[in-house]
Amino acid sequence: EMDMGEGGIYQMYGKGETMYGGIYNASPEMPAGWCCYIMVESVPEALERVKESGGKVLNGPMEVSGGSVVSQCVDPHGALFALHHVPASSAIL
């Protein structure tokens, strides 16, 4: 579990040190459904490519537990996805 403050509890699941996914109560502004996370070198740089390609940034970038940075987006067709960067100092090997 990760306490997201006003966002509630983000319940993660996986095996050992490998996280497979998580679930939480989405806000009314967030589209419903599963969200794929795409690992990137730089979330701000990737967000520029999202906007240039006709996608929209829903929220973020924001720092989350462990120093990771995430941002949720939708592509030009309305598909939900998120960008995720894990700093080398906090990566699980």
Side-chain angles (χ1 to χ4, degrees):
E1 291 183 357
M2 178 173 47
D3 187 350
M4 297 178 16
E6 292 181 18
I9 300 295
Y10 187 76
Q11 182 65 52
M12 297 169 278
Y13 64 93
K15 184 175 183 181
E17 294 293 321
T18 303
M19 186 171 70
Y20 295 136
I23 191 166
Y24 67 100
N25 292 327
S27 67
E29 300 85 38
M30 292 295 293
W34 289 101
C35 179
C36 294
Y37 280 72
I38 302 165
M39 300 299 287
V40 296
E41 290 289 323
S42 167
V43 171
E45 289 176 15
L47 288 175
E48 288 304 314
R49 292 192 299 277
V50 167
K51 292 184 256 182
E52 290 168 2
S53 300
K56 292 187 214 172
V57 178
L58 298 178
N59 69 30
M62 61 188 159
E63 188 173 320
V64 295
S65 180
S68 293
V69 177
V70 298
S71 184
Q72 284 88 18
C73 307
V74 290
D75 73 9
H77 305 285
L80 178 65
F81 67 97
L83 303 172
H84 187 185
H85 171 76
V86 178
S89 62
S90 63
I92 298 173
L93 301 175

